[in-house]
Amino acid sequence: MRGTWDDVNRRVTSTLLALDLDDVLVVGERVEPARRGLLSGLLGGGPTSARPRRWVQVTAGRDRLLAECVGSTSFGGEWQMDEALEAELLSLGWERPWSPDYPTFSREAPLVNAPRLSRACVRALQVLGCEVADLEAELRHEDPQA
């Protein structure tokens, strides 16, 4: 992405306001393509796994927006966080997972609070140490019947 954190917030806010039911917006560090190592290629192994990344995601429900933020390895997530970083995310309104099946921080908001939720997502990316230039956004539709 280009610009400042305020620019990112404006883009995320406008996208959240335009989401259709079951649309998902993911904003996070660029995904590095999985690479095949020389030995794994020779021995028939699969691609090496991509490194963990920092991200936030918002899914549009019928009357609510459901947000997730990369989880801490302390509770089964993929990003290494110390207690201070976890505490800072909690102070921003993010909640620890309620189930081991969902190892991410989460929060939700009514559709009318999309601008506030956008700020929380952008602030989480800042707190996690992301740089605007390293961010990318992906918009997709999830089929709840699948």
Side-chain angles (χ1 to χ4, degrees):
M1 288 188 166
R2 291 184 179 162
T4 66
W5 285 108
D6 286 336
D7 297 328
V8 173
N9 185 53
R10 279 190 290 277
R11 283 186 219 117
V12 171
T13 298
S14 63
T15 303
L16 294 184
L17 291 169
L19 292 177
D20 285 330
L21 183 63
D22 300 320
D23 280 353
V24 179
L25 173 65
V26 180
V27 180
E29 294 176 300
R30 266 188 211 92
V31 176
E32 293 181 13
R35 297 184 187 142
R36 291 179 68 99
L38 180 59
L39 284 178
S40 67
L42 293 173
L43 300 175
T48 59
S49 61
R51 67 176 178 83
R53 70 183 193 127
R54 296 166 282 193
W55 55 268
V56 293
Q57 166 178 308
V58 180
T59 304
R62 190 166 310 284
D63 61 352
R64 304 196 73 66
L65 295 170
L66 309 169
E68 292 180 76
C69 176
V70 64
S72 174
T73 54
S74 71
F75 52 74
E78 61 187 47
W79 193 256
Q80 181 71 41
M81 297 182 201
D82 60 22
E83 288 181 20
L85 181 54
E86 289 182 23
E88 193 162 359
L89 287 170
L90 294 171
S91 75
L92 293 172
W94 292 93
E95 298 176 2
R96 290 183 186 275
W98 52 270
S99 166
D101 295 333
Y102 302 101
T104 59
F105 285 98
S106 64
R107 64 184 291 162
E108 63 180 75
L111 295 173
V112 69
N113 286 344
R116 181 176 292 156
L117 186 61
S118 174
R119 281 192 306 278
C121 289
V122 170
R123 186 69 183 117
L125 292 169
Q126 286 178 293
V127 165
L128 287 165
C130 293
E131 297 292 332
V132 172
D134 296 332
L135 296 177
E136 66 181 2
E138 174 191 359
L139 186 60
R140 64 177 187 257
H141 183 80
E142 290 187 355
D143 183 3
Q145 304 300 321

mmCIF file of all heavy atoms in Angstrom, residues 6 77 95 102-103 111 119 125:
data_model
loop_
_atom_site.group_PDB
_atom_site.id
_atom_site.type_symbol
_atom_site.label_atom_id
_atom_site.label_comp_id
_atom_site.label_asym_id
_atom_site.label_seq_id
_atom_site.Cartn_x
_atom_site.Cartn_y
_atom_site.Cartn_z
ATOM 1 N N ASP A 6 -3.219 7.138 7.952
ATOM 2 C CA ASP A 6 -4.536 7.758 7.749
ATOM 3 C C ASP A 6 -5.116 7.347 6.395
ATOM 4 O O ASP A 6 -6.320 7.115 6.271
ATOM 5 C CB ASP A 6 -4.444 9.280 7.836
ATOM 6 C CG ASP A 6 -4.262 9.773 9.260
ATOM 7 O OD1 ASP A 6 -4.641 9.048 10.202
ATOM 8 O OD2 ASP A 6 -3.733 10.890 9.428
ATOM 9 N N GLY A 77 -1.800 -19.089 18.262
ATOM 10 C CA GLY A 77 -1.750 -18.281 17.047
ATOM 11 C C GLY A 77 -0.418 -18.434 16.345
ATOM 12 O O GLY A 77 0.443 -19.220 16.751
ATOM 13 N N GLU A 95 -10.185 -8.999 21.766
ATOM 14 C CA GLU A 95 -10.429 -10.004 22.795
ATOM 15 C C GLU A 95 -9.639 -11.269 22.491
ATOM 16 O O GLU A 95 -9.466 -11.639 21.325
ATOM 17 C CB GLU A 95 -11.916 -10.343 22.852
ATOM 18 C CG GLU A 95 -12.777 -9.153 23.222
ATOM 19 C CD GLU A 95 -14.257 -9.472 23.190
ATOM 20 O OE1 GLU A 95 -14.637 -10.630 22.910
ATOM 21 O OE2 GLU A 95 -15.051 -8.554 23.439
ATOM 22 N N TYR A 102 -10.139 -21.296 17.517
ATOM 23 C CA TYR A 102 -10.014 -19.983 16.883
ATOM 24 C C TYR A 102 -8.866 -19.218 17.536
ATOM 25 O O TYR A 102 -9.089 -18.394 18.415
ATOM 26 C CB TYR A 102 -11.321 -19.192 17.018
ATOM 27 C CG TYR A 102 -12.491 -19.919 16.421
ATOM 28 C CD1 TYR A 102 -13.398 -20.600 17.218
ATOM 29 C CD2 TYR A 102 -12.671 -19.945 15.044
ATOM 30 C CE1 TYR A 102 -14.465 -21.282 16.665
ATOM 31 C CE2 TYR A 102 -13.734 -20.627 14.483
ATOM 32 C CZ TYR A 102 -14.632 -21.295 15.296
ATOM 33 O OH TYR A 102 -15.679 -21.964 14.746
ATOM 34 N N PRO A 103 -7.630 -19.469 17.119
ATOM 35 C CA PRO A 103 -6.464 -18.876 17.796
ATOM 36 C C PRO A 103 -6.116 -17.458 17.338
ATOM 37 O O PRO A 103 -4.974 -17.151 17.021
ATOM 38 C CB PRO A 103 -5.352 -19.862 17.462
ATOM 39 C CG PRO A 103 -5.707 -20.342 16.097
ATOM 40 C CD PRO A 103 -7.221 -20.417 16.092
ATOM 41 N N LEU A 111 -22.695 -2.587 11.944
ATOM 42 C CA LEU A 111 -22.277 -1.975 10.683
ATOM 43 C C LEU A 111 -22.071 -0.470 10.801
ATOM 44 O O LEU A 111 -21.156 0.084 10.191
ATOM 45 C CB LEU A 111 -23.309 -2.270 9.591
ATOM 46 C CG LEU A 111 -23.469 -3.739 9.199
ATOM 47 C CD1 LEU A 111 -24.640 -3.905 8.239
ATOM 48 C CD2 LEU A 111 -22.197 -4.270 8.592
ATOM 49 N N ARG A 119 -10.482 1.819 12.389
ATOM 50 C CA ARG A 119 -9.391 2.398 13.190
ATOM 51 C C ARG A 119 -8.749 1.348 14.085
ATOM 52 O O ARG A 119 -7.528 1.313 14.244
ATOM 53 C CB ARG A 119 -9.892 3.580 14.023
ATOM 54 C CG ARG A 119 -10.031 4.853 13.239
ATOM 55 C CD ARG A 119 -10.254 6.069 14.139
ATOM 56 N NE ARG A 119 -11.375 5.953 15.060
ATOM 57 C CZ ARG A 119 -12.648 6.187 14.750
ATOM 58 N NH1 ARG A 119 -12.958 6.555 13.527
ATOM 59 N NH2 ARG A 119 -13.596 6.066 15.650
ATOM 60 N N LEU A 125 -2.477 -3.151 13.344
ATOM 61 C CA LEU A 125 -1.348 -3.349 12.432
ATOM 62 C C LEU A 125 -0.162 -2.481 12.840
ATOM 63 O O LEU A 125 0.987 -2.919 12.787
ATOM 64 C CB LEU A 125 -1.767 -3.057 10.991
ATOM 65 C CG LEU A 125 -2.759 -4.049 10.388
ATOM 66 C CD1 LEU A 125 -3.308 -3.518 9.064
ATOM 67 C CD2 LEU A 125 -2.130 -5.417 10.204
#
